[in-house]
Amino acid sequence: MTLRKLRAARRNSAVGADDALQSAGSRDERKQRTRRALLDAALELMQGERSFSSVSLREVTRSAGVVPAAFYRHFTGMEELGLALVDDSFKTLRRSMREARAAALPATHLIRRSVETFLGYAQTHRRHFQFIAKERFGGSSVIRFAVRKEVHLFTSELSTDLARFPLAGKISTEDLQMIAGLVVQTVLMATEVFLDMPQNDPEDAAQLYQQTEKQLRLIFIGAQGWRSKGAGRG
Amino acid sequence: MTLRKLRAARRNSAVGADDALQSAGSRDERKQRTRRALLDAALELMQGERSFSSVSLREVTRSAGVVPAAFYRHFTGMEELGLALVDDSFKTLRRSMREARAAALPATHLIRRSVETFLGYAQTHRRHFQFIAKERFGGSSVIRFAVRKEVHLFTSELSTDLARFPLAGKISTEDLQMIAGLVVQTVLMATEVFLDMPQNDPEDAAQLYQQTEKQLRLIFIGAQGWRSKGAGRG
């Protein structure tokens, strides 16, 4: 190879590398866009009557405007796509709830704020939570157990927070989990009913808010009176 | 018409009426059997991953071994069949629970017995309750609202029973409904988790029983401490 050719080759490869970097950048963006389009298409197809199990890969790719081969560059199959939806639904929710609880407030305000945060989050992530509501006890056991694992994680974080309350001294770790479980299920249930309401019915929504808040207050009154066997400092 | 002919005609018509009665009897039985076969076929098709909305009328008739025309002698469509399944699921449950609550027992025994009755009932009506669990937040809004109505009825009956407890004096009717709602949701949730467990895992089941019982006890401790605004005799 002559020096000139070598230089030209280097120049070309350098240019090629730049190009590669640049197109890698946009390829990544494109890839993310396609992924997003596939996830959105699945959520869209599940609007109304349909369950996740009834949506086919081919429908998702058709609706996202990509060929089936493109699907497999993102997910091994519909199940993996479903798990990505579960992950998306809970990812930022846990952070939002931690922030709501982190603010030092009287307990009743804390409850109200938590309910508002949760229902507000569910409203802005409406389609994700409709998916969760449908699949929590729905057909696919893989998705169902993934949802349950997220709910469990959520419950554990709440029970860790509850452990800091003064009343927690008389309550065993196991019972704190039991109480946190009751709180989380109550809020999830309210969310599911909430998402099922006609969107232009603020009165029903207000009533649900109030009922949920009362139920949580009742749980906390119960927790104050709770004595675990063998637990307690006094 | 001669007298003989008249007698013969009467005899014939009498025989004919008898025949008609007899075949009506067995026709009714056959009709009930077909109806049962259609309902069972739908439950069977929903085992595993599938939701009610994804099951077609043609699949149900094929699986029940009848022609589609026979389906329409029982139901106007799949929706009506679904509503019949909801009805079947709750019909005897409410009676069982009333019986469980009617026995005069200390509150803790009453809670334990109610949980046992409910979970026991759900176990012997497993496929019905799996259907309910799937469709409570599932795709068909007609079925979903029918389930919710049954849950509401169930809650109302419980709150009427709670009104007889001494603690109810300090609690408004609205708040009794709120408390009954919390109880019913907690038990329903437990049922759904219970039916999703591997059937040969008595340890998990025992743990769930215990946790549910504790949650109900906590709710009743909360109820004891609850004061409704404006309610109360003293």
Side-chain angles (χ1 to χ4, degrees):
Chain A
M1 198 180 271
T2 65
L3 192 62
R4 194 193 293 173
K5 271 189 181 167
L6 190 64
R7 279 190 187 138
R10 275 197 187 142
R11 204 163 45 234
N12 281 343
S13 95
V15 167
D18 268 4
D19 270 2
L21 254 175
Q22 215 164 26
S23 77
S26 61
R27 207 188 302 136
D28 249 19
E29 274 168 38
R30 264 207 313 280
K31 215 179 156 186
Q32 278 312 309
R33 261 206 308 279
T34 308
R35 186 186 148 89
R36 194 65 264 153
L38 290 165
L39 291 167
D40 284 346
L43 285 177
E44 191 57 39
L45 287 162
M46 283 180 68
Q47 292 288 295
E49 304 269 304
R50 301 185 60 188
S51 69
F52 183 73
S53 316
S54 78
V55 173
S56 74
L57 192 151
R58 197 160 286 271
E59 283 177 290
V60 170
T61 53
R62 198 184 306 133
S63 167
V66 302
V67 293
F71 182 100
Y72 292 107
R73 283 197 284 275
H74 295 274
F75 307 107
T76 55
M78 280 300 286
E79 214 160 65
E80 201 177 298
L81 181 145
L83 293 176
L85 285 177
V86 174
D87 197 48
D88 278 4
S89 309
F90 282 92
K91 203 187 287 173
T92 48
L93 169 66
R94 292 222 308 279
R95 198 180 47 215
S96 303
M97 293 305 291
R98 263 199 303 274
E99 283 165 10
R101 290 197 304 263
L105 291 166
T108 50
H109 290 204
L110 189 60
I111 292 170
R112 185 169 314 154
R113 187 198 269 218
S114 298
V115 173
E116 279 170 5
T117 304
F118 200 105
L119 294 185
Y121 184 91
Q123 200 166 21
T124 51
H125 298 75
R126 194 173 187 91
R127 294 196 310 174
H128 277 94
F129 272 80
Q130 278 168 335
F131 161 75
I132 295 295
K134 272 187 186 169
E135 300 304 319
R136 195 148 76 105
F137 295 101
S140 160
S141 53
V142 173
I143 307 291
R144 208 163 62 232
F145 286 112
V147 172
R148 226 161 274 175
K149 207 184 123 198
E150 293 284 353
V151 172
H152 194 78
L153 257 171
F154 198 68
T155 307
S156 291
E157 287 192 2
L158 176 60
S159 72
T160 306
D161 276 6
L162 290 179
R164 294 200 195 98
F165 276 71
L167 65 90
K170 297 169 211 133
I171 305 176
S172 68
T173 305
E174 193 195 328
D175 287 355
L176 275 179
Q177 281 272 350
M178 173 275 289
I179 296 168
L182 192 54
V183 170
V184 170
Q185 297 298 358
T186 302
V187 174
L188 272 184
M189 185 61 55
T191 310
E192 289 165 356
V193 173
F194 178 67
L195 291 179
D196 218 9
M197 283 178 172
Q199 289 197 52
N200 43 9
D201 198 336
E203 208 172 294
D204 271 11
Q207 210 189 339
L208 180 71
Y209 261 96
Q210 208 191 9
Q211 162 137 335
T212 308
E213 216 192 295
K214 278 186 176 180
Q215 288 178 331
L216 296 180
R217 264 205 288 140
L218 187 105
I219 294 169
F220 284 105
I221 294 174
Q224 266 158 4
W226 190 263
R227 302 287 177 272
S228 295
K229 276 182 199 148
R233 291 163 190 153
Chain B
M1 197 182 267
T2 65
L3 191 63
R4 192 193 291 171
K5 269 189 181 164
L6 190 65
R7 280 192 186 135
R10 276 197 185 140
R11 207 166 40 237
N12 279 343
S13 95
V15 168
D18 269 7
D19 271 4
L21 254 174
Q22 216 165 27
S23 77
S26 60
R27 207 188 303 139
D28 250 19
E29 275 168 38
R30 265 206 314 278
K31 213 178 157 190
Q32 279 310 310
R33 263 205 308 278
T34 308
R35 186 187 147 89
R36 193 65 265 149
L38 289 166
L39 291 166
D40 284 346
L43 285 176
E44 189 59 39
L45 286 163
M46 282 180 67
Q47 292 288 294
E49 305 269 305
R50 299 187 59 189
S51 70
F52 182 72
S53 316
S54 78
V55 173
S56 74
L57 192 153
R58 197 160 286 273
E59 283 177 291
V60 170
T61 54
R62 199 184 303 134
S63 168
V66 302
V67 293
F71 182 100
Y72 292 107
R73 283 198 284 276
H74 296 274
F75 308 105
T76 54
M78 282 299 287
E79 214 159 64
E80 199 177 301
L81 182 145
L83 293 176
L85 285 176
V86 174
D87 197 50
D88 279 4
S89 308
F90 283 91
K91 205 185 289 175
T92 49
L93 168 67
R94 292 222 308 277
R95 199 180 46 218
S96 303
M97 293 306 290
R98 264 199 302 273
E99 283 164 10
R101 290 197 304 264
L105 290 165
T108 51
H109 289 202
L110 189 61
I111 292 170
R112 185 170 311 152
R113 189 198 266 217
S114 297
V115 173
E116 279 169 8
T117 304
F118 200 106
L119 294 185
Y121 184 91
Q123 199 165 22
T124 52
H125 298 74
R126 195 176 186 87
R127 292 195 311 173
H128 277 93
F129 272 80
Q130 278 168 335
F131 161 74
I132 294 294
K134 272 186 186 170
E135 299 305 319
R136 195 147 75 105
F137 295 100
S140 161
S141 53
V142 173
I143 307 291
R144 206 162 64 230
F145 286 111
V147 172
R148 226 162 274 176
K149 207 183 123 197
E150 293 284 353
V151 171
H152 194 79
L153 258 172
F154 197 70
T155 306
S156 290
E157 289 193 1
L158 177 61
S159 71
T160 307
D161 276 8
L162 290 179
R164 295 201 195 96
F165 277 70
L167 64 89
K170 296 170 214 132
I171 305 177
S172 68
T173 305
E174 192 196 327
D175 287 355
L176 275 179
Q177 282 272 353
M178 173 276 288
I179 296 168
L182 191 55
V183 170
V184 170
Q185 297 299 357
T186 302
V187 174
L188 272 183
M189 186 60 55
T191 310
E192 289 165 357
V193 173
F194 178 67
L195 291 178
D196 216 10
M197 282 177 172
Q199 289 198 51
N200 44 10
D201 199 335
E203 208 172 295
D204 271 10
Q207 209 189 339
L208 180 70
Y209 262 96
Q210 209 191 9
Q211 162 138 333
T212 308
E213 215 191 297
K214 278 185 177 181
Q215 289 179 331
L216 295 180
R217 264 205 288 140
L218 187 103
I219 293 169
F220 284 106
I221 294 174
Q224 267 159 3
W226 190 264
R227 300 289 176 271
S228 293
K229 275 181 201 149
R233 291 162 193 155

